[in-house]
Amino acid sequence: QVQLVESGGGLVQAGGSLRLSCTASTDTFGDFAMGWFRQPLGKAREFVAALDGGGFWSSYGDSVKGRFRISRDNTKTTVYLQMNNLQLEDTAAYYCAAERGKITTTMSDYDYWGHGTQVAVSS
């Protein structure tokens, strides 16, 4: 069982930046592709970004391309989501997820999920 703990959420003004972190409790972190998803209040969870185990291949949702960047430090078993130029529509609970295998954008492919961290963007 892999536990994932997110941190770094908070309240930020539109145009600002936040960096989310997600730390995994596993000695084989490099075997896992990592993803970030988000869920606005009352809406479905959606894909944000994903990164393969080696940190070489990434994928982004259309709404965050060019503004968000996913990265990882396998020595710290941590994946990050740098979010720049935040907009009101980025307000959501953000979840990280781990999948033992290839990078994927499909929510159902992920085996482990964190409890989420809230991001609120104000005007």
Side-chain angles (χ1 to χ4, degrees), residues 33-53:
M34 300 298 296
W36 285 98
F37 292 79
R38 67 185 182 186
Q39 187 167 15
L41 189 64
K43 296 185 179 180
R45 195 170 296 191
E46 64 179 10
F47 169 73
V48 175
L51 188 63
D52 75 307

Side-chain angles (χ1 to χ4, degrees), residues 5-83:
V5 179
E6 303 99 333
S7 62
L11 176 64
V12 63
Q13 285 191 322
S17 298
L18 280 175
R19 189 177 80 156
L20 305 183
S21 300
C22 171
T23 300
S25 63
T26 175
D27 293 333
T28 58
F29 185 65
D31 292 344
F32 290 86
M34 300 298 296
W36 285 98
F37 292 79
R38 67 185 182 186
Q39 187 167 15
L41 189 64
K43 296 185 179 180
R45 195 170 296 191
E46 64 179 10
F47 169 73
V48 175
L51 188 63
D52 75 307
F56 300 110
W57 299 101
S58 61
S59 180
Y60 294 91
D62 288 341
S63 61
V64 306
K65 282 180 182 177
R67 299 188 298 123
F68 290 13
R69 180 176 178 271
I70 187 171
S71 62
R72 65 192 294 159
D73 184 338
N74 286 356
T75 66
K76 297 181 179 179
T77 67
T78 299
V79 62
Y80 305 97
L81 185 67
Q82 178 66 42
M83 306 185 294

Side-chain angles (χ1 to χ4, degrees), residues 78-90:
T78 299
V79 62
Y80 305 97
L81 185 67
Q82 178 66 42
M83 306 185 294
N84 299 324
N85 191 21
L86 282 159
Q87 304 300 311
L88 296 177
E89 53 267 31
D90 295 317

